[in-house]
Amino acid sequence: ELCGEAVGGLNDSNEKVVASAIRAIGHLYSNYLRVPAFARSGRMKELGHTMFHDLTSRIILASTSNPTQLMKLLNSKQRFSVNKHAWGACHALSKLLSVNIDNAETLNSMKVLSDCVHHASNTKVVTAALMALNVVVSEWGQDRAMSAYIGDVVLACMMRRECNETGEEAREILWRYLCVAKSDDLKERIGDIIGVGGELKFLYGFTVEKSESSSDLDLNVFQTIVGAIEVLDLNEDFRSGEDAKVLQMFVSRAAKQERLRRRSPVRSSSRTYSEEGEEEEDIDAIVDTIMKEFNLPREEALLRIEAAIAEEM
């Protein structure tokens, strides 16, 4: 009943009532979702559908990539309300996503939030969207249900990384999503992620910096990115330009990281025969990548990797 009243308040003519309803439904519905009997009820599912549709619609309204025409139709008070309600909707979603991401509506909200980070012009709205995405990766980072939208989040954070007000948060969340990503998660978006000049160079320097401060030897973001780039049909300009050099640096770093992992005293004392086989497959994958990207025979690819690793050491 309380959730029903809160959802009803979303359509009130009083803007203050609407703002209060948005805040309330995030707290109320997330608490009800923690009780299995309520979460399974038809009425709660119906309210949930209405709620997610309303919240995401408000965020989309503030996130359009070409807001000029829309905003021309609104006065300053209406524009303020659009951004205020989008900000509240992001906070409400952060509550809901902390409990559950196992259905299409909650997963779709990840796409809406990443588009908001990418396109919204209001700093407070972008910050709230980043906070919601941070909740998702904190609670569900190892849940493969979210994998379809990792590429969207990475792209959005890449585009926001230099902003004065939100760049720091965007870079931190970018790293958190790269750490849980697999190559397949990035393949659909990798062309957009490195499509602008200098993006691949930034990504390399950023990954080096973050990896060197990490104690997780099993983490190989370099190999994740190299594996994603494999799907691209790279033209001759790329192969002979600055990005080609950066890609080779990625490959050599991936190999170096794999060697560090293999030499770790902790891992070497507890390795199984299965893990040793997997390690050989990882190295083979790195060599195959550089052979494919630079059209080299295996022996020359190995020499390039060895030379690059020796140069960095």
Side-chain angles (χ1 to χ4, degrees):
E1 187 176 340
L2 285 174
C3 278
E5 290 181 5
V7 171
L10 295 172
N11 298 314
D12 198 277
S13 58
N14 187 315
E15 291 295 320
K16 291 184 178 180
V17 173
V18 174
S20 296
I22 291 172
R23 289 196 300 270
I25 59 177
H27 291 282
L28 286 172
Y29 197 72
S30 61
N31 285 326
Y32 279 119
L33 284 176
R34 290 184 170 89
V35 182
F38 284 115
R40 290 193 298 266
S41 75
R43 174 60 175 160
M44 291 302 291
K45 289 181 180 179
E46 180 185 342
L47 288 173
H49 175 76
T50 302
M51 190 185 321
F52 273 102
H53 177 74
D54 184 278
L55 294 176
T56 53
S57 295
R58 293 178 189 278
I59 297 170
I60 290 170
L61 191 60
S63 308
T64 175
S65 57
N66 184 20
T68 307
Q69 291 184 350
L70 170 66
M71 291 306 182
K72 280 182 179 178
L73 301 176
L74 305 177
N75 58 40
S76 59
K77 184 177 180 180
Q78 290 170 324
R79 288 195 294 271
F80 176 80
S81 292
V82 166
N83 288 321
K84 180 179 180 180
H85 295 331
W87 174 84
C90 288
H91 279 285
L93 281 180
S94 70
K95 295 289 184 183
L96 299 173
L97 293 172
S98 69
V99 180
N100 188 354
I101 63 163
D102 67 354
N103 62 61
E105 288 172 335
T106 52
L107 289 171
N108 179 63
S109 65
M110 282 185 65
K111 171 69 169 132
V112 172
L113 289 166
S114 62
D115 286 346
C116 179
V117 171
H118 194 162
H119 298 298
S121 58
N122 184 279
T123 300
K124 290 184 177 180
V125 174
V126 173
T127 301
L130 285 167
M131 289 175 60
L133 289 170
N134 192 43
V135 168
V136 174
V137 75
S138 297
E139 297 292 335
W140 309 103
Q142 302 305 316
D143 192 320
R144 299 310 297 161
M146 61 179 274
S147 62
Y149 298 100
I150 288 178
D152 291 301
V153 178
V154 169
L155 174 61
C157 291
M158 283 284 289
M159 300 306 292
R160 187 64 65 170
R161 72 183 190 273
E162 299 294 348
C163 295
N164 292 333
E165 300 90 347
T166 56
E168 185 176 350
E169 293 94 330
R171 290 191 296 273
E172 286 305 311
I173 293 169
L174 168 63
W175 179 244
R176 298 196 71 182
Y177 274 85
L178 285 173
C179 288
V180 301
K182 298 185 183 300
S183 294
D184 286 345
D185 303 337
L186 302 179
K187 284 180 178 178
E188 188 173 336
R189 282 298 200 174
I190 194 66
D192 297 321
I193 291 169
I194 68 171
V196 181
E199 302 290 355
L200 190 60
K201 187 174 183 179
F202 161 79
L203 199 55
Y204 175 76
F206 177 75
T207 306
V208 169
E209 177 189 349
K210 291 294 187 180
S211 294
E212 288 181 347
S213 63
S214 172
S215 59
D216 185 359
L217 291 176
D218 284 332
L219 182 65
N220 197 338
V221 175
F222 298 100
Q223 180 57 29
T224 300
I225 295 170
V226 169
I229 292 174
E230 283 181 344
V231 303
L232 297 180
D233 183 15
L234 302 176
N235 58 35
E236 290 303 317
D237 290 340
F238 182 98
R239 293 178 184 277
S240 59
E242 183 68 24
D243 279 343
K245 297 176 183 177
V246 179
L247 177 57
Q248 187 170 341
M249 291 161 66
F250 262 111
V251 173
S252 66
R253 273 281 183 167
K256 179 180 178 180
Q257 190 71 20
E258 180 60 23
R259 289 191 172 199
L260 288 173
R261 186 175 78 95
R262 292 173 65 186
R263 292 172 182 172
S264 167
V266 175
R267 289 199 57 82
S268 60
S269 65
S270 59
R271 280 188 304 173
T272 65
Y273 290 111
S274 173
E275 286 174 323
E276 289 172 352
E278 288 171 1
E279 288 169 358
E280 290 176 3
E281 289 175 5
D282 288 340
I283 293 293
D284 286 340
I286 293 169
V287 175
D288 289 344
T289 297
I290 202 167
M291 288 172 62
K292 175 183 175 183
E293 299 301 337
F294 298 99
N295 194 25
L296 297 173
R298 184 176 182 82
E299 293 75 14
E300 189 171 342
L302 284 167
L303 286 174
R304 284 203 183 190
I305 292 173
E306 293 286 351
I309 293 172
E311 188 175 317
E312 291 185 359
M313 287 183 169

